[in-house]
């Protein structure tokens, strides 16, 4: 038992303390969080636009959006990332992190667009009409009636999409970004103790996921209180 | 107040509304009745421009609202629409459902809007439900809130699109009671309804729609008691008479009995009497099946009718085949019991046969 505790502390020292390794871990974590946060933000924005086009009255816009969504949803995000990095932006000096943000925004945007669309379609359309009959303009009725209800329906699925995105950011190491996954991998191979380092990585991702869940549930509690 | 001319509406190739002319005076209560698919709802929705007409003009007071330059949102502020399916805002509680439009559209303060809302809640008898959410209250209560929600905007015209069709009889009565109050307040109302007795009671004018247009209109007594045109007559007749045809011994008796029950409930027949009607029919049918249709399939029809005074219910039963009088004295014992029951609970029962067609007339 004492041996185990001893080796555990030894592992912590080797992996995190020696050579200030924890700083690398924090830096990797920061990159992962950065890509996740910006990817989610722009993905949601892009998803909103795609969804709007997908539901537009003009058939050409609808079909185009449908096609874009189908392609983006149907292709692995890693391939998308590599295409952007090695082909599309190969000549530019754009930062790899920005390219990653673009890739994840595109991929998650397509998913989020469909989440939004199904949520909007699930809302009772007659409630919107009832609002119009009370004198609401089309925009006001959408904002006051349809959107809040669609938001509620979309929330659990949207939350999953975000957590999915966070986990998929672990592939950015392929385009030479030093994110959390790559950092723990590097540390593991340097110390020859991959078990500890990789397991630590899993724990941190788990922590992020829980943080995202609790972020969403803060909203829930306020709703109940209201 | 409402002046409609030459209104036509088409869904694809189907002409739903044909060249309708229609007027409503201020404070009038108009009931629109007619068979389903006659275009009643489409017509009602057109008045609020929820269906855009193909041709024709709709003038509310002096404004022709089919003009593109008219701000339809302003027009609709003065109109209330009550739906069959209530359509309360499901993410808001009752109070917010009522105050939302006054606050967001008419820019009233929350205090002012809530005060008015509480008055309206008292009017519809639901003061204690202010904090409830739509899914927590019954259909009848939801519909009353929907009416209060419209009233909060102080409309000049109220449109009702089958407001009680989704409700059971008790809840229907709750909603009709509120609507009755509104007519007394002098609101201009147009009601698409299947509640004939209500239409008869509260409407100033009844419009019978059929064939995509206004087929006949008049006062309630003109339409319900003395309809002049053929289709109106047929429609009113089938409201008062229940008919059923039987062509097989394995016919769905349960369904027939259920239909009879629904029909009788419309006339406020008490459940004991409904049971008696059902019992009489069942006993007679069984005896007739055994005696007349032992080897062949039955060919019979029955009708139940309520005369205007509603005192006596008359049932008539016609069946083709050999002459057979179930009320003759020399019945076998197995059939005697059923017939005794029938005789006991009916006031009058006679049988006659003519040209191979037996008829039984019963009054009870």
């Amino acid at each position: 038992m004492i041996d185990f505790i001893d080796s555990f502390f030894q592992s912590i020292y080797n992996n995190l303390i020696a050579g200030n390794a924890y700083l690398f871990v924090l830096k990797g974590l920061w990159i992962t969080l950065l890509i996740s946060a910006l990817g989610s933000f722009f993905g949601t924005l892009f998803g909103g636009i795609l969804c709007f086009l997908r539901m537009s009255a003009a058939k050409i816009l609808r079909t185009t959006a449908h096609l874009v969504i189908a392609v983006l949803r149907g292709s692995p995000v890693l391939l998308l990332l590599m295409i952007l990095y090695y082909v599309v932006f190969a000549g530019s000096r754009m930062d790899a992190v920005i390219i990653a943000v673009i890739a994840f925004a595109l991929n998650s945007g397509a998913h989020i667009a469909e989440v939004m669309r199904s949520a909007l379609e699930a809302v009772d359309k007659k409630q919107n009409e009832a609002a119009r009959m009370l004198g609401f303009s089309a925009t006001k009725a959408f904002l006051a009636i349809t959107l809040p209800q669609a938001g509620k329906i979309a929330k659990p699925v949207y939350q999953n999409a975000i957590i999915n995105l966070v986990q998929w950011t672990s592939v950015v190491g392929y385009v030479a970004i030093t994110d959390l996954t790559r950092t723990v991998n590097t540390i593991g191979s340097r110390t020859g103790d991959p078990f500890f380092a990789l397991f630590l990585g899993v724990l941190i991702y788990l922590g992020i996921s829980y943080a995202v869940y609790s972020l969403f549930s803060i909203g829930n509690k306020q709703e109940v209180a209201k | 107040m409402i002046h409609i001319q030459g209104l036509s509406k088409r869904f694809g190739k189907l002409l739903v509304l044909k060249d309708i002319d229609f007027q409503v005076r201020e404070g009038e209560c108009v009931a629109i009745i007619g068979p389903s698919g006659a275009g009643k709802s489409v017509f009602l929705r057109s008045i609020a421009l929820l269906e855009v007409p193909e041709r024709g003009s709709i003038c509310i007071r002096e404004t022709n609202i089919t003009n593109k330059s008219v701000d339809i949102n302003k027009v609709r502020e003065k109109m209330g629409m009550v739906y069959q399916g209530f359509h309360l805002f499901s993410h808001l509680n009752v109070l917010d459902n009522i105050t939302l439009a006054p606050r967001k559209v008419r820019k009233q303060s929350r205090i002012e809007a809530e005060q008015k809302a509480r008055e309206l809640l008292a009017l519809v008898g639901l003061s204690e439900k202010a904090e409830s959410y739509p899914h927590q209250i019954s259909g009848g209560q939801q519909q009353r809130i929907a009416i209060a929600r419209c009233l909060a905007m102080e409309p000049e015209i109220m449109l009702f699109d089958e407001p009680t069709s989704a409700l059971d009889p008790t809840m229907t009565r709750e909603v009709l009671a509120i609507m009755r109050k509104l007519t007394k307040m002098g609101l201009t109302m147009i009601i698409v309804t299947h509640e004939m007795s209500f239409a008869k009671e509260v409407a100033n004018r009844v419009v019978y729609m059929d064939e995509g247009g206004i087929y006949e209109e008049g006062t309630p007594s003109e339409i319900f008691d003395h309809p002049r045109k053929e289709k109106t007559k047929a429609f009113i007749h089938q409201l008062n008479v229940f008919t059923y045809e039987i062509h097989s011994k394995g016919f769905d008796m349960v369904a027939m009995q259920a239909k009879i029950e629904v029909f009788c409930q419309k006339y406020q027949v008490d459940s004991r009497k409904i049971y008696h009607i059902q019992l009489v029919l069942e006993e007679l049918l069984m005896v007739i099946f055994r005696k007349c249709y032992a080897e062949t399939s039955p060919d019979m029809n029955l009708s139940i009718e309520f005369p205007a005074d509603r005192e006596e219910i008359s049932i008539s039963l016609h069946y083709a085949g050999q002459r057979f009088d179930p009320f003759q004295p020399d019945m076998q014992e197995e059939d005697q019991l059923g017939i005794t029951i029938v005789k006991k609970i009916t006031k009058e029962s006679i049988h006659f046969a003519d040209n191979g067609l037996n008829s039984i007339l019963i009054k009870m």
Side-chain angles (χ1 to χ4, degrees), chain A residues 124-138 140 143-146 148-149 152 223 226, chain B residues 45 48 50 72-73 76-77 79-81 83 87-91 100-101 104-105 107 149-150 153 159:
Chain A
D124 174 17
K125 286 174 192 63
K126 286 275 189 166
Q127 287 183 31
N128 187 286
E129 189 187 294
R132 296 298 311 274
M133 276 306 297
L134 292 164
F136 281 83
S137 68
K140 270 186 170 174
L143 291 178
I145 308 301
T146 311
Q149 295 191 39
K152 224 180 213 171
E223 237 158 60
K226 201 169 58 179
Chain B
R45 291 165 58 77
L50 290 172
I72 190 65
N73 299 330
R76 286 182 184 151
E77 268 183 51
M79 273 185 190
M81 169 80 95
Y83 296 92
H87 304 296
L88 292 181
F89 306 138
S90 45
H91 61 307
L100 190 73
K104 297 271 160 108
V105 179
K107 311 286 179 208
R149 178 174 70 177
C150 291
M153 292 298 280
L159 307 172

Side-chain angles (χ1 to χ4, degrees), chain A residues 59-76:
Chain A
K59 194 170 181 213
I60 172 99
L61 295 180
R62 229 167 38 229
T63 324
T64 314
H66 195 171
L67 201 75
V68 170
I69 291 172
V71 169
L72 286 176
R73 283 214 305 174
S75 51

Side-chain angles (χ1 to χ4, degrees), chain B residues 268-304:
Chain B
Q268 274 95 42
V269 178
D270 64 70
S271 52
R272 190 178 154 80
K273 196 146 190 180
I274 295 175
Y275 173 67
H276 280 169
I277 295 171
Q278 292 171 329
L279 188 65
V280 165
L281 284 172
E282 189 170 339
E283 294 298 344
L284 282 175
L285 288 176
M286 286 306 135
V287 173
I288 294 168
F289 279 177
R290 271 200 298 273
K291 295 289 177 191
C292 291
Y293 300 114
E295 261 107 56
T296 53
S297 353
D299 175 15
M300 40 197 323
N301 64 67
L302 64 94
S303 62
I304 304 175

Side-chain angles (χ1 to χ4, degrees), chain B residues 279-348:
Chain B
L279 188 65
V280 165
L281 284 172
E282 189 170 339
E283 294 298 344
L284 282 175
L285 288 176
M286 286 306 135
V287 173
I288 294 168
F289 279 177
R290 271 200 298 273
K291 295 289 177 191
C292 291
Y293 300 114
E295 261 107 56
T296 53
S297 353
D299 175 15
M300 40 197 323
N301 64 67
L302 64 94
S303 62
I304 304 175
E305 191 168 351
F306 292 86
D309 56 19
R310 306 230 167 116
E311 276 299 302
E312 256 175 5
I313 296 162
S314 32
I315 301 172
S316 57
L317 199 59
H318 303 283
Y319 48 104
Q322 65 185 88
R323 185 191 163 90
F324 166 66
D325 178 3
F327 305 118
Q328 66 202 6
D330 54 337
M331 289 285 286
Q332 288 157 13
E333 204 168 317
E334 53 164 346
D335 297 323
Q336 196 58 50
L337 179 65
I339 295 305
T340 313
I341 294 174
V342 172
K343 279 185 172 161
K344 192 134 188 141
I345 55 184
T346 56
K347 279 189 196 156
E348 197 186 312

Side-chain angles (χ1 to χ4, degrees), chain B residues 234-246 251-267 277-278 281 285 301-307 313-318:
Chain B
F235 182 78
I236 300 296
H237 179 75
Q238 58 95 29
L239 289 175
N240 295 326
V241 181
F242 172 87
T243 57
Y244 199 87
E245 289 186 7
I246 297 162
F251 81 104
D252 190 346
M253 167 111 61
V254 176
M256 182 194 80
Q257 299 289 39
K259 280 182 185 160
I260 290 174
E261 193 170 342
V262 170
F263 176 76
C264 291
Q265 274 169 351
K266 261 198 327 209
Y267 288 92
I277 295 171
Q278 292 171 329
L281 284 172
L285 288 176
N301 64 67
L302 64 94
S303 62
I304 304 175
E305 191 168 351
F306 292 86
I313 296 162
S314 32
I315 301 172
S316 57
L317 199 59
H318 303 283

Side-chain angles (χ1 to χ4, degrees), chain B residues 45-231:
Chain B
R45 291 165 58 77
S46 306
I47 299 174
L49 231 60
L50 290 172
E51 302 290 348
V52 182
E54 193 175 67
R55 249 181 301 118
S57 67
I58 302 165
C59 294
I60 310 285
R61 293 195 189 282
E62 301 305 312
T63 337
N64 180 358
I65 62 169
T66 53
N67 265 342
K68 290 269 183 296
S69 60
V70 172
D71 180 2
I72 190 65
N73 299 330
K74 279 272 171 262
V75 177
R76 286 182 184 151
E77 268 183 51
K78 291 281 147 214
M79 273 185 190
M81 169 80 95
V82 177
Y83 296 92
Q84 178 180 354
F86 331 130
H87 304 296
L88 292 181
F89 306 138
S90 45
H91 61 307
L92 299 176
N93 70 18
V94 163
L95 195 63
D96 288 339
N97 258 281
I98 300 174
T99 58
L100 190 73
R103 286 194 287 123
K104 297 271 160 108
V105 179
R106 295 178 85 187
K107 311 286 179 208
Q108 286 180 6
S109 71
R110 185 178 271 276
I111 298 169
E112 191 185 351
E114 285 191 356
Q115 190 190 347
K116 172 85 182 160
R118 293 200 186 271
E119 283 168 25
L120 289 170
L121 280 174
L123 176 80
V124 299
L126 289 168
S127 294
E128 61 174 14
K129 298 289 180 190
E131 316 299 330
S132 305
Y133 278 83
H135 67 267
Q136 295 167 324
I137 58 181
S138 75
Q141 292 172 329
Q142 288 190 49
Q143 193 62 298
R144 287 186 278 158
I145 299 298
I147 293 172
R149 178 174 70 177
C150 291
L151 294 177
M153 292 298 280
E154 297 171 330
E156 293 170 341
I157 302 166
M158 285 287 280
L159 307 172
F160 293 86
D161 191 358
E162 300 190 16
T164 58
S165 299
L167 300 173
D168 69 29
T170 335
M171 295 181 186
T172 299
R173 251 163 253 171
E174 295 170 11
V175 172
L176 294 182
I178 300 302
M179 290 171 63
R180 214 167 278 140
K181 274 192 194 175
L182 299 189
T183 54
K184 292 198 181 109
M185 287 159 55
L187 226 68
T188 308
M189 293 167 59
I190 304 177
I191 309 168
V192 171
T193 186
H194 289 134
E195 289 295 324
M196 298 305 160
S197 53
F198 178 73
K200 199 169 174 177
E201 176 200 331
V202 303
N204 305 109
R205 188 145 57 97
V206 177
V207 171
Y208 174 74
M209 277 186 78
D210 206 333
E211 298 176 343
I214 294 177
Y215 187 82
E216 186 171 348
E217 60 178 307
T219 63
S221 93
E222 277 170 353
I223 296 294
F224 287 114
D225 301 334
H226 314 286
R228 275 169 298 139
K229 292 169 91 176
E230 190 190 332
K231 285 206 168 180

